[in-house]
Amino acid sequence: MEARDATAGAFVSRSGKEQTAKKEDAAPRAKSPPTQSRMEQIFGFKAEDLSSWQNLVVLLNRPTDPASLGIFRFLFGMLMAIDVTQERGLSHLDYKYLDGAPVCRFPLFDFLQPLPLDWMYFLYLVMFLGALGIMLGCFYRLSCLMFISTYWYVFFLDKTAWNNHSYLYGLIGFQLTLMDGNRYWSVDGLRRPSIRNAHVPLWNYTLLRTQIFIVYFIAGIKKLDADWVEGYSMSYLAHHRLFDPFKVVLPVELVSLLVVHGGGLVLDLTAGFLLFFDATRPYAFFFVSYFHCMNSQLFSIGMFSYTMLATSPLFCYPDWPRRFFARFPSFLSSVLPLTSAESQPSSSCVYKEVLSAEGQETPTAPKASKLRFKHKLAAIFTIVYIAEQFFLPYSHFITQGYNNWTNGLYGYSWDMMVHSRTHQHVKITYRDGKTGEIGYLNPGVFTQSRRWKDHGDMLKQYATCLNQLLPRYNISDPEIYFDIWVSINERFQQRIFDPRVDIVTADWSPFQPNPWLMPLLVDLSPWRTKFQEIESSLDNQTEIVFIADFPGLHLENFVSEDLGNTSIHILQGKVNVEIVEEKKNYTLQPNEQINVPAGAYHKVYTVSEEPSCYMYVYVNTTEAALQDNFTKLFELQERIRNGTETEPLPPELQPLMAADSEGAEVNATDPIVQLFLKRQRRLKEVKKRREAGLLERMERFTVKKYYTVRRGFLMTAIAVRNLAFGLPPLDQLREEVAFANMKGPQEEANQNDPLKDEVGHAEL
């Protein structure tokens, strides 16, 4: 499929029209160029190229222009160098790897452990230098090894950080290690003229293009899931301001169904094909570029969008950089990539004999070369790697222990954004193995991650870690029980793991199904339509939670005193509600309801033979009262501003008259007035930031990134100094870290006045 870019393939002008042109291997043009078959015009290779193993090897090792590969190498290395300081975590490494602190970690293999903190900084420095070397094409093979060895170590060290694009970075880094990516626009080319502008074998492009095709196409196949097609996976996205243009002509429900879900499905299924063919490539460029630019604003996915944008030109003819940079002024030629069409022969390629019109061998063409073992090995690797990449997303029948409600560890299946989860209730119970004492742990204690709640393998690791740490707190031989309630793609909140099983002693194998995984109640999925009807009938202050539970189990719940008028409505099955303090039990059936007291515990037992379904309906009376007070204060403030307020203000309300001045909330004595003024100031700041011009936004973004990157490199310098010369006095070290932690004025202001400390800020 990729052979159309080879020297013997079709030739196109800048407009994409086929024409007779000078061959890329610098051979003189024959007087009567051979007529190409229709297949060769479309795909760039002939049917004969696939007719035998030898022909296929020759095809995959056909000499190809190195220009496009060289540009991609530069872009990928640059993006990975940025990624090391961002998503890989160099800037907050000391928060991620806490030396000496009791921390539960989730490596792929339990024997993997992080190095001491200073050595982790050094490891990240090696990764960064490797990415920089890839970008510059400097000591290329060594740089690739430096990058991928450290990258995959960090990747395997923490399963909770896995995602599809991080996996993709590692794959591309591995592929580039085996490719001749330093043949064009590289420092190595300046050091070694023999490889400068030399041909690369076609399989270099074949691997990369097929990898990107797989990313798109398999992601599209995964989106054929019913939840995605019906619009439940990412329904919240339609409310983002980026989709406002679509909402001019479509209601938000159709924007979610047709644009977010339908558009994403069609693009993923077709992008790889559209990028391949000349006639459809311009349209594909437009849509995938628009798609990735939107994703960069919708999600916190680091360099992924930009990396995918960098892969798109790989589908163009490989000499596109020469034609592109030839348009630049000649005085820039010393710093720009080569524009000459002359390419050197390479031993990595297989050359055919080139004859002139008289049937004589062309003296200036590369000599015909024989197939070598390395050419056959490259062809075998290409085929095996591509087959493995098509197989791996569907290999979950082998690693069944990692399957939960979704198949496998998230990150290598290309099921991007297909599943969204919310967690309503998480309880960790321990039981002392000697005394029988029962207690509870704060969810997430001893860990910085939240992903363990959805994966049985991580839950097993977490329970084992807690079993080892709790004896420090006089808890002997602890048993650990988890009660985790999850909703996936807007279904009922339900248990994902059996709360009756001690996970410490529970069996788990990567190759056997998880015996303590509770089944997803897919039969209840049609209720989601009813959910939407119920939610649309409620007012803005009423909240609702839909619950489904298994026969023989019960939910113990505590209703906060802030939640007044809380009631349980039965939708399906039969339940027994126990009010703990009152020591009373009530049996409820469908269409019945009961109010439960605030500030007290109650238990809901499922006593029917089928799963029970019920919903909590409640109002946050504290927040409602606060919002009511805010509304009254806002109306009073408006009357003060327009001069219609004639009544004298009591002392506690007088700060409203100076609300626009700095620090007005400091002078307020009433806590509600103080909170209102702070809220108004923050709303004003948010509005100002949203209405800021492009230059101001860019300045704010640049300053934020500067201080982030600055901290990473300063902390790395401190770590390298510690390794080389030992630890300095504690006071000096404290001053150095404080200097590294310095932030921009805007960030410091936000840090001193965090939104999370305010009450009633959901609208922000």
Side-chain angles (χ1 to χ4, degrees):
M1 133 175 168
E2 283 74 13
R4 73 193 195 287
D5 294 326
T7 53
F11 298 94
V12 296
S13 67
R14 293 179 183 177
S15 62
K17 300 292 184 180
E18 294 183 15
Q19 65 174 13
T20 304
K22 180 179 180 180
K23 290 185 179 292
E24 294 173 3
D25 58 7
R29 183 176 56 194
K31 293 183 179 179
S32 301
T35 303
Q36 295 178 343
S37 65
R38 182 63 175 169
M39 179 178 179
E40 193 172 2
Q41 292 174 1
I42 296 176
F43 296 102
F45 59 86
K46 298 174 288 187
E48 291 78 6
D49 292 329
L50 306 178
S51 61
S52 67
W53 168 247
Q54 181 173 343
N55 289 346
L56 179 61
V57 174
V58 172
L59 174 66
L60 290 175
N61 289 276
R62 181 185 290 176
T64 311
D65 196 305
S68 184
L69 180 63
I71 296 299
F72 175 73
R73 180 216 75 232
F74 178 88
L75 294 175
F76 178 77
M78 178 183 68
L79 292 170
M80 291 303 99
I82 298 173
D83 179 79
V84 170
T85 66
Q86 303 289 317
E87 192 172 357
R88 288 323 108 200
L90 176 63
S91 300
H92 56 271
L93 210 59
D94 49 331
Y95 296 104
K96 187 174 183 179
Y97 300 105
L98 304 173
D99 273 353
V103 178
C104 295
R105 305 190 186 279
F106 305 91
L108 179 62
F109 307 106
D110 289 335
F111 63 82
L112 283 176
Q113 294 296 324
L115 303 174
L117 182 59
D118 286 342
W119 282 105
M120 288 301 297
Y121 271 110
F122 180 77
L123 183 141
Y124 270 67
L125 177 62
V126 172
M127 190 194 310
F128 175 80
L129 293 177
L132 202 62
I134 293 174
M135 180 185 78
L136 299 175
C138 182
F139 298 101
Y140 173 70
R141 209 74 67 183
L142 174 62
S143 295
C144 287
L145 291 173
M146 289 168 58
F147 175 74
I148 66 167
S149 60
T150 53
Y151 185 93
W152 282 106
Y153 168 72
V154 172
F155 185 81
F156 288 141
L157 202 57
D158 186 9
K159 290 183 293 187
T160 66
W162 282 22
N163 50 48
N164 288 280
H165 60 267
S166 296
Y167 171 61
L168 177 65
Y169 299 160
L171 293 179
I172 293 178
F174 169 69
Q175 293 175 34
L176 288 177
T177 305
L178 306 177
M179 296 177 182
D180 297 330
N182 60 340
R183 300 309 194 247
Y184 184 79
W185 204 31
S186 68
V187 174
D188 286 348
L190 298 177
R191 295 190 308 107
R192 300 167 55 195
S194 61
I195 68 169
R196 187 184 187 191
N197 203 27
H199 285 132
V200 297
L202 182 62
W203 67 264
N204 286 196
Y205 287 97
T206 303
L207 273 186
L208 287 171
R209 290 172 178 157
T210 307
Q211 183 69 73
I212 302 307
F213 173 85
I214 289 173
V215 172
Y216 282 119
F217 186 68
I218 299 298
I221 295 295
K222 298 284 184 169
K223 285 182 174 62
L224 292 174
D225 181 88
D227 284 357
W228 183 276
V229 173
E230 294 174 12
Y232 290 109
S233 296
M234 305 291 291
S235 59
Y236 65 90
L237 275 187
H239 297 279
H240 195 280
R241 57 184 175 83
L242 287 179
F243 293 96
D244 286 349
F246 299 102
K247 285 180 274 189
V248 174
V249 293
L250 293 173
V252 67
E253 293 81 9
L254 287 181
V255 171
S256 175
L257 182 63
L258 300 180
V259 180
V260 176
H261 293 89
L265 171 63
V266 172
L267 185 136
D268 279 338
L269 284 175
T270 60
F273 297 101
L274 297 179
L275 284 168
F276 179 80
F277 296 105
D278 296 343
T280 57
R281 191 176 302 120
Y283 305 102
F285 262 58
F286 172 79
F287 285 110
V288 299
S289 299
Y290 183 76
F291 174 74
H292 292 304
C293 288
M294 285 191 70
N295 283 346
S296 69
Q297 301 300 308
L298 290 170
F299 308 107
S300 298
I301 50 178
M303 295 294 108
F304 178 53
S305 298
Y306 310 108
T307 303
M308 292 303 292
L309 288 172
T311 63
S312 295
L314 286 171
F315 291 85
C316 299
Y317 286 83
D319 65 338
W320 71 264
R322 303 182 191 276
R323 292 182 276 114
F324 176 75
F325 290 109
R327 300 174 182 269
F328 285 75
S330 58
F331 68 86
L332 295 176
S333 59
S334 59
V335 295
L336 291 178
L338 290 173
T339 57
S340 170
E342 300 291 336
S343 295
Q344 296 190 74
S346 170
S347 61
S348 300
C349 304
V350 176
Y351 294 88
K352 294 182 179 180
E353 185 176 4
V354 180
L355 301 178
S356 66
E358 291 78 17
Q360 303 297 321
E361 183 176 352
T362 305
T364 58
K367 294 183 179 180
S369 55
K370 296 181 180 180
L371 288 179
R372 300 180 182 177
F373 175 73
K374 69 176 183 179
H375 299 137
K376 298 178 181 179
L377 189 63
I380 293 173
F381 170 76
T382 301
I383 295 171
V384 170
Y385 179 86
I386 291 174
E388 177 265 343
Q389 282 297 300
F390 273 106
F391 169 75
L392 198 59
Y394 300 97
S395 64
H396 308 303
F397 65 92
I398 298 176
T399 55
Q400 297 184 63
Y402 294 103
N403 298 342
N404 298 286
W405 288 348
T406 57
N407 287 329
L409 283 168
Y410 182 75
Y412 64 90
S413 300
W414 312 120
D415 50 351
M416 294 173 280
M417 306 300 177
V418 177
H419 306 105
S420 59
R421 297 175 175 85
T422 59
H423 299 83
Q424 184 69 26
H425 180 76
V426 178
K427 183 171 70 173
I428 305 178
T429 306
Y430 69 83
R431 182 179 182 275
D432 192 301
K434 292 184 177 179
T435 66
E437 177 188 359
I438 294 177
Y440 303 95
L441 301 176
N442 184 31
V445 65
F446 300 124
T447 182
Q448 299 172 320
S449 172
R450 295 179 295 177
R451 193 175 284 188
W452 54 268
K453 294 180 287 190
D454 299 313
H455 298 273
D457 58 299
M458 298 184 197
L459 202 72
K460 178 67 175 179
Q461 289 176 305
Y462 190 28
T464 303
C465 177
L466 292 176
N467 177 263
Q468 296 170 353
L469 292 176
L470 289 182
R472 303 182 185 180
Y473 303 90
N474 299 321
I475 302 173
S476 304
D477 302 326
E479 302 170 1
I480 307 295
Y481 303 88
F482 294 91
D483 193 10
I484 303 173
W485 294 74
V486 187
S487 169
I488 184 169
N489 291 346
E490 302 184 16
R491 290 180 172 85
F492 281 99
Q493 289 280 343
Q494 67 157 95
R495 288 183 166 97
I496 184 171
F497 302 112
D498 194 332
R500 300 164 295 189
V501 175
D502 172 21
I503 305 301
V504 175
T505 58
D507 294 330
W508 183 85
S509 167
F511 306 110
Q512 298 294 329
N514 188 342
W516 32 274
L517 174 71
M518 305 295 282
L520 178 63
L521 298 173
V522 292
D523 293 342
L524 302 178
S525 298
W527 274 95
R528 289 180 292 189
T529 304
K530 185 67 174 177
F531 295 169
Q532 296 173 351
E533 296 176 4
I534 296 174
E535 290 173 341
S536 63
S537 66
L538 302 175
D539 57 46
N540 293 333
Q541 295 182 341
T542 304
E543 301 289 341
I544 193 167
V545 178
F546 298 96
I547 303 291
D549 203 3
F550 295 91
L553 297 180
H554 73 276
L555 168 64
E556 182 179 17
N557 204 359
F558 176 82
V559 179
S560 171
E561 294 181 354
D562 293 329
L563 306 181
N565 195 26
T566 301
S567 59
I568 300 175
H569 300 246
I570 309 305
L571 303 174
Q572 176 181 301
K574 185 178 180 180
V575 302
N576 191 313
V577 179
E578 177 188 355
I579 310 299
V580 178
E581 288 188 358
E582 299 177 3
K583 298 182 180 179
K584 293 183 179 179
N585 293 278
Y586 303 89
T587 301
L588 302 177
Q589 298 186 9
N591 300 320
E592 296 182 348
Q593 67 182 67
I594 184 175
N595 289 335
V596 290
Y601 280 94
H602 66 271
K603 298 180 181 179
V604 183
Y605 296 84
T606 298
V607 295
S608 57
E609 295 182 357
E610 61 180 358
S612 65
C613 303
Y614 50 94
M615 61 182 179
Y616 281 91
V617 181
Y618 60 93
V619 176
N620 190 326
T621 52
T622 301
E623 183 175 354
L626 184 63
Q627 293 296 336
D628 185 57
N629 286 327
F630 281 176
T631 301
K632 293 178 180 178
L633 289 173
F634 178 76
E635 294 172 352
L636 176 59
Q637 189 182 55
E638 289 298 304
R639 292 198 301 270
I640 293 173
R641 286 175 175 171
N642 58 34
T644 59
E645 179 60 35
T646 59
E647 297 292 332
L649 296 179
E652 64 270 16
L653 296 180
Q654 288 181 3
L656 293 175
M657 301 175 64
D660 295 330
S661 62
E662 290 292 333
E665 66 270 14
V666 178
N667 299 322
T669 57
D670 188 287
I672 295 180
V673 175
Q674 186 181 43
L675 194 58
F676 170 77
L677 293 174
K678 184 183 292 187
R679 174 181 178 271
Q680 292 300 101
R681 179 171 58 83
R682 295 308 300 270
L683 286 173
K684 185 178 179 180
E685 292 175 0
V686 170
K687 182 180 179 181
K688 181 180 178 181
R689 290 168 67 90
R690 288 180 176 175
E691 296 176 353
L694 179 61
L695 291 178
E696 185 179 345
R697 288 172 180 262
M698 291 183 63
E699 179 186 4
R700 193 164 59 229
F701 174 82
T702 304
V703 169
K704 179 180 179 181
K705 293 302 179 183
Y706 164 75
Y707 281 100
T708 300
V709 175
R710 172 185 178 276
R711 185 184 193 277
F713 284 115
L714 287 177
M715 294 296 290
T716 301
I718 294 172
V720 173
R721 188 276 317 277
N722 294 344
L723 292 174
F725 304 105
L727 286 173
L730 187 59
D731 290 339
Q732 177 185 341
L733 186 61
R734 186 182 296 111
E735 292 177 0
E736 292 172 347
V737 173
F739 179 72
N741 287 335
M742 186 174 66
K743 297 186 178 182
Q746 185 64 38
E747 288 187 75
E748 290 181 352
N750 292 339
Q751 192 175 32
N752 294 332
D753 186 21
L755 275 176
K756 64 182 180 181
D757 292 339
E758 298 185 16
V759 180
H761 61 269
E763 70 277 13
L764 298 181

